[in-house]
Amino acid sequence: MKITLVRSLARSAMFELSNNTCYRAPAPYTVLLDGAEVLQGDTNVFSLFSLEPDRAYELAVTIGGETETLRFTTAKESFFVDASRYGLVADGETDNTAQLQAALSTCPAGGTVYVPAGTYRTQSLFLQSNTTLYLEKGCTLLGGTDRKKYPILPGVLPCCDEKTEHYLATWEGNPLDSFAALINIINAENVAITGEGTIDANAQNGDWYQNPKKKNIAWRPRLFFTSNAKDVVLHGVLVCNSYSWTIHPTYSENVDILNIRIRNSSHSPNTDGIDPEGCKNVNIIGNHVHVGDDCIALKSGKLFMGMKLHIPCENVVIRNCCLSRGHGGLVIGSEMSGGVKNVVVTQCLMDHTDRGLRVKTRRGRGKYAIIDGLVFRNVIMDGVFTPFVINMFYFCDPDGRSDYVQTHEALPVDEMTPKLGSLEMENITATDAQYAGCWFSGLPEQPIDRVSMRNVNISFAENAKPGQAAMMCGADASCKVGIHAENVRKIELHNVKITGYEGECLQLTNVGSFEED
């Protein structure tokens, strides 16, 4: 066993056990800090809080009779800013927005804004560079329910040269006026949010879920939003009851989302868990996500943003996460007109999500809408209806069911045509599947380049019920389909076992090269 320090902040730190298990540790363990027991755990990732800045510690983890030690030092801190000194009222009713914002805005560089235990009602807050927000255990930032008290972020900011534009707020991949998030990091760098507290958007007690696809003054806010940010850490906290997408970093670099918990009602509309959009160098490690839509969705804007900026979402690591009950475990798209590349998913547990790995795109996403370099390794799926879906006929948007999007006749490859490159799946176990084991649908004019599966075991539930594996026209309800593949240049199956299927295991149409052993 080896212990790795993933991230050390001034008052908290996160660690990871190095092994091959998915999310859960091989056995329960005990953690000692400087000789004193501080926690007992059973997951591969754990965190420590209430540490002292700029101090050396010795960590010891005992698991299965073996003990491993690690020395680490917390980061320095210039100033400690107790937000309660700014006049906070912890009754859950009084509006604390101005007081919290004052603490955040006056914190000197390198300082920590500390919010003690209590429930603090607030609207949108904006963090500045080189600061940390620490939420103490028992602290809750509770979102206000009146949308008129939330500021509106413009989708487009014009430049004085009357040519250049800056894109700020987004809604489902387009630059559209939206309410500011509860927590915002915009044009800032070296910012951290950490602690054992809670950020509760409280959306269920407002009107955010009424006519959710209709603009009401502005589009719905996110719970956590970044734009043009760099070196951002979100660590440890519980976030819940989001207005729409929960964690939404956009066009930012070096974003670490570490050991947080996300809880949204399974009935809440479009409350995705973690949606990096057009971001570079993203680490999503040790998180437990339970939401009403996709658990993790990688995006890069719709056609306008993709063609204008062509900034991909790239260099993403997703590891030791538990993804529960959402529509998809890891989803790519459908707003991915800037492309998605170099994504590695390992040691994740997907628990009763509708789909496991879900790639969704369509004609009209554009020539920069390229997905390539996806590696999906060491993953367990339990009760996932369809473990693998790659769908290039996704019927989203007002024209999603049009002949242009849905025809299976080859159309000319042009600047509107998306492309799927190499996708590798290895060491996957999926039990109690229902609709299909794999559903791969490429475009006839632009087939999926290559799908490689190695050491994959898929079994179906005995009482499986039919359903639509892929959201596309013509894909009627199916049940216990082994592998459905159309328009794929190359499929490689090495030690792939599918049990409990009905009918022909392999349903292949226009597959150029097929290897199986």
Side-chain angles (χ1 to χ4, degrees), residues 377-452:
R377 180 185 298 127
N378 294 349
V379 173
I380 292 177
M381 303 185 196
D382 181 19
V384 174
F385 293 160
T386 306
F388 300 100
V389 177
I390 303 173
N391 177 15
M392 298 186 74
F393 296 93
Y394 185 57
F395 55 34
C396 59
D397 302 332
D399 68 337
R401 298 174 189 270
S402 65
D403 289 343
Y404 169 70
V405 175
Q406 294 297 326
T407 183
H408 285 248
E409 298 295 324
L411 300 181
V413 174
D414 57 23
E415 64 175 10
M416 296 291 103
T417 310
K419 179 179 174 60
L420 266 61
S422 172
L423 301 100
E424 299 183 8
M425 300 84 147
E426 183 177 6
N427 299 335
I428 314 293
T429 300
T431 56
D432 289 337
Q434 296 199 35
Y435 306 160
C438 306
W439 190 287
F440 305 141
S441 289
L443 296 175
E445 68 271 21
Q446 189 83 286
I448 301 164
D449 275 350
R450 174 175 168 266
V451 174
S452 174

Side-chain angles (χ1 to χ4, degrees), residues 22-37:
C22 295
Y23 184 68
R24 299 287 179 189
Y29 55 84
T30 301
V31 178
L32 282 76
L33 188 66
D34 289 344
E37 182 177 323

Side-chain angles (χ1 to χ4, degrees), residues 273-289:
I274 303 171
D275 286 18
E277 184 169 8
C279 291
K280 182 177 182 179
N281 304 333
V282 181
N283 291 311
I284 302 173
I285 303 174
N287 306 295
H288 191 169
V289 182

Side-chain angles (χ1 to χ4, degrees), residues 53 56 258 286 288 296 336 356 377 490 496 503:
L258 309 174
H288 191 169
I296 299 174
M336 40 68 69
R377 180 185 298 127
K490 187 174 185 179
V496 175

Side-chain angles (χ1 to χ4, degrees), residues 105-144:
S105 298
T106 59
C107 180
T112 295
V113 175
Y114 172 84
V115 186
T119 300
Y120 306 94
R121 181 68 72 103
T122 183
Q123 276 74 234
S124 302
L125 300 172
F126 296 81
L127 279 64
Q128 62 178 348
S129 295
N130 303 310
T131 57
T132 295
L133 173 61
Y134 189 99
L135 304 181
E136 182 59 86
K137 186 175 183 178
C139 164
T140 297
L141 301 183
L142 186 67

